[in-house]
Amino acid sequence: GLIKRASSGAIWAGTNLSNSNGHHDNTTQSIVGGTAVAKRTAVTSFSDFAIGFGAVALPVELTTFTATAVDNKQVDLFWNTEAELNCKYFSVQRSVDGSEFAELGNVMGNGTSQISHDYTFIDQSPLCSVAYYRLMQVDENGDIHYTPIAVATINCSNNFSVYPNPTLGNVMIDLSSMKADNSIVKIIGLDGRIYMTFNSSSVLLNIDASKLPAGLYFVNISNGVETLNSSFIKK
């Protein structure tokens, strides 16, 4: 932050309260509970002065964040930054209800930059419904900041349904809208690990997910003709 004296236009460099770095001899300054307080002392006459403590600049100037469904098969995420300050990476997150989010992946930031940058991320296993997306921007020092939410809808006319979602226990997989003969069903975690796999010809599967760790899981089903994907969240 910068502190500026109105009388002379001179700028005092610095954002802390130690001696000459953002400090004036005729003030008392302190930080209590994260709040900076500055008090002017030894005032003998009126003049056009001002004192204060500069605010920390926003780490990222985000101009755009969009989520676009493409051919009901994937969701393309796009965002743009005009400037970045100590930006380490972006965590791309998705939610079925706009409240509880799970991470889909990370995109590295550009540290500190004063030029525009475009970013993209593709959700290749989108929800078969309305989905809510946001970015969690992580600074070099570990501080986090969230973007506004973007929304996209995938219409799965020839897909399968997974419910309840989120779930605490069992998950029902309804294959009635697709050819279920000799289907191979896989439950895959965000880490790429296959937690469950089995063959099924039933149009309604009841899967016990109670022992799965909390998180986002992908349901991959292949019947030799097509391969379809959906997902669910285990609370």
Side-chain angles (χ1 to χ4, degrees), residues 60-180:
V60 168
E61 292 182 23
L62 186 75
T63 60
T64 303
F65 176 48
T66 60
T68 305
V70 179
D71 297 330
N72 284 317
K73 295 180 179 179
Q74 67 185 45
V75 175
D76 292 352
L77 303 178
F78 171 82
W79 64 99
N80 170 271
T81 63
E82 283 298 317
E84 299 178 26
L85 177 64
N86 297 324
C87 177
K88 188 174 183 180
Y89 68 91
F90 297 90
S91 168
V92 181
Q93 302 182 344
R94 185 179 69 188
S95 171
V96 297
D97 57 9
S99 177
E100 295 188 19
F101 285 80
E103 183 178 85
L104 297 180
N106 293 332
V107 177
M108 297 304 296
N110 280 278
T112 296
S113 172
Q114 294 299 317
I115 62 175
S116 176
H117 291 282
D118 291 340
Y119 295 90
T120 59
F121 183 92
I122 299 176
D123 182 1
Q124 296 180 325
S125 299
L127 301 176
C128 188
S129 63
V130 176
Y132 303 85
Y133 296 88
R134 74 180 183 187
L135 304 174
M136 182 180 75
Q137 185 263 316
V138 181
D139 293 348
E140 296 287 355
N141 65 0
D143 288 348
I144 61 176
H145 314 271
Y146 294 98
T147 68
I149 292 174
V151 181
T153 301
I154 294 290
N155 296 312
C156 307
S157 57
N158 294 316
N159 211 319
F160 59 93
S161 58
V162 180
Y163 60 90
N165 189 6
T167 183
L168 289 172
N170 286 17
V171 174
M172 304 300 294
I173 301 178
D174 186 351
L175 307 179
S176 59
S177 64
M178 62 178 288
K179 181 179 174 63

Side-chain angles (χ1 to χ4, degrees), residues 11 19 23 27 37 40 81 91 102 135 151 156 164 170 180 194 216:
I11 294 177
N19 298 324
H23 178 81
T27 65
V37 177
R40 187 72 157 88
T81 63
S91 168
L135 304 174
V151 181
C156 307
N170 286 17
I194 300 175
L216 176 69

Side-chain angles (χ1 to χ4, degrees), residues 181-220:
D181 294 344
N182 300 317
S183 293
I184 300 175
V185 181
K186 296 179 182 179
I187 308 299
I188 307 171
L190 272 177
D191 55 1
R193 173 184 170 187
I194 300 175
Y195 284 81
M196 298 180 185
T197 182
F198 46 88
N199 296 323
S200 177
S201 59
S202 173
V203 296
L204 186 63
L205 308 179
N206 187 349
I207 297 176
D208 182 8
S210 61
K211 296 182 180 179
L212 291 176
L216 176 69
Y217 292 88
F218 300 107
V219 181
N220 176 281

